[in-house]
Amino acid sequence: MAEQTEQACPINPVVDLLFSRWTTPIVWVLEHHGRLRFNELQRLVPSITPKVLTQRLRQLERDGLVIRTYHAEIPPRVEYEISDLGRTLVPVFRTLHDWSGAHLPQVAAARRAYDTAQEEEAAWAEG
Amino acid sequence: MAEQTEQACPINPVVDLLFSRWTTPIVWVLEHHGRLRFNELQRLVPSITPKVLTQRLRQLERDGLVIRTYHAEIPPRVEYEISDLGRTLVPVFRTLHDWSGAHLPQVAAARRAYDTAQEEEAAWAEG
DNA sequence: CGGTATCCTATAGGATACTG
DNA sequence: CAGTATCCTATAGGATACCG
């Protein structure tokens, strides 16, 4: 199935890579705060649980977007930072951010229009 | 939670809007084939079930990215097409596509490196 | 400190059958 | 034709507790 979906939409692989849940907040925070320790990340990415944070960080590390550095001290210290490859996402994120600024209000308006149309339709069906 | 995640990452809303599952293939196909009927869409978006296709199309219609036209004929005919707002996504998708071409190979290489490192570590622990 | 382990639930989404 | 309706399952992810 994945292969066929890929064929129908060439950006599907990059969507899976970059926009699975929690990945953008983590990359964004690392991009803006530099090196961070696990607990700092957990504080800066609100309401993420340690389990899920670990999962996503491992995935991002494997994908080469994030670098994990383990310092064998007592107590142990682990630092996460964005990689050069991860930094190539900055213009991508800016594109998305720009699109948001320009067009999210239109989306909000479309939703309002759709919802009121639905309500009117329901009211009409009612009586 | 959604609000806090938004604060941590300003592109989170647009990610939720554009990159929830199935939305990019649908928008992509509509963008490249023009007007399509429900069953044509179902054929062009491989392996999607009618239930899920309906759900996503309703969402895209509500968000103003897709236009649904109902022709009250027998048999009924419904056409879906991308809206002007939806067409503003073309440069966004191109950005993602360009990033893929430039950097997905690096991601693949990073994964191979990570996996072989893991294997070696496992082999070393084994003896 | 930086995670694991375990358990649990909620939701997305698949399969199948049916209908105005 | 263009969907609904129903049932079902798999997975993501939350809560909590624990560990080297």
Side-chain angles (χ1 to χ4, degrees):
Chain A
M1 176 209 112
E3 311 80 46
Q4 292 200 0
T5 309
E6 264 180 49
Q7 285 167 12
C9 179
I11 66 170
N12 226 298
V14 70
V15 170
D16 288 348
L17 176 72
L18 300 181
F19 304 114
S20 36
R21 219 169 149 190
W22 293 114
T23 58
T24 40
I26 293 172
V27 172
W28 184 278
V29 163
L30 282 175
E31 217 278 305
H32 287 263
H33 291 81
R35 303 194 140 199
L36 289 173
R37 304 177 65 167
F38 188 87
N39 285 342
E40 292 172 324
L41 260 171
Q42 197 181 348
R43 252 171 277 125
L44 288 168
V45 180
S47 79
I48 197 169
T49 58
K51 177 186 143 188
V52 174
L53 180 56
T54 303
Q55 288 174 347
R56 302 273 78 110
L57 284 172
R58 288 284 180 281
Q59 182 192 321
L60 290 167
E61 187 194 0
R62 187 172 104 99
D63 292 341
L65 301 174
V66 160
I67 299 170
R68 176 181 185 272
T69 311
Y70 177 81
H71 304 270
E73 307 166 358
I74 295 177
R77 185 161 55 92
V78 177
E79 288 180 316
Y80 294 91
E81 63 187 313
I82 197 162
S83 69
D84 289 341
L85 181 55
R87 254 181 288 271
T88 66
L89 294 173
V90 171
V92 175
F93 285 6
R94 185 164 44 238
T95 300
L96 289 172
H97 194 251
D98 292 349
W99 191 92
S100 298
H103 300 294
L104 270 192
Q106 296 176 252
V107 172
R111 287 179 178 170
R112 282 192 297 273
Y114 184 94
D115 292 347
T116 57
Q118 292 297 101
E119 280 169 26
E120 281 167 21
E121 193 179 311
W124 178 88
E126 194 74 19
Chain B
M1 177 208 113
E3 312 79 46
Q4 292 201 358
T5 309
E6 263 181 48
Q7 284 168 12
C9 179
I11 66 170
N12 225 298
V14 71
V15 170
D16 288 348
L17 176 72
L18 300 181
F19 304 114
S20 37
R21 219 171 149 191
W22 293 114
T23 58
T24 39
I26 293 172
V27 172
W28 184 277
V29 163
L30 283 174
E31 217 277 305
H32 286 262
H33 292 80
R35 305 195 139 201
L36 289 173
R37 304 176 65 167
F38 187 87
N39 284 343
E40 293 173 322
L41 260 172
Q42 197 180 348
R43 252 171 276 125
L44 289 168
V45 181
S47 79
I48 197 169
T49 60
K51 178 186 141 189
V52 174
L53 181 56
T54 303
Q55 288 174 347
R56 302 272 76 111
L57 284 172
R58 288 285 180 281
Q59 182 192 321
L60 289 167
E61 188 196 0
R62 188 172 103 98
D63 292 340
L65 300 174
V66 159
I67 298 170
R68 175 181 184 271
T69 311
Y70 177 80
H71 304 270
E73 308 166 358
I74 295 177
R77 186 161 56 92
V78 177
E79 289 180 316
Y80 293 91
E81 63 187 312
I82 197 162
S83 69
D84 288 341
L85 181 56
R87 254 181 287 274
T88 66
L89 294 174
V90 171
V92 175
F93 286 6
R94 184 164 46 237
T95 299
L96 289 172
H97 194 251
D98 292 349
W99 190 92
S100 298
H103 300 294
L104 270 192
Q106 296 176 252
V107 172
R111 287 178 178 170
R112 282 193 297 273
Y114 184 93
D115 291 348
T116 56
Q118 292 297 99
E119 279 169 28
E120 279 166 23
E121 194 178 311
W124 178 88
E126 195 75 22

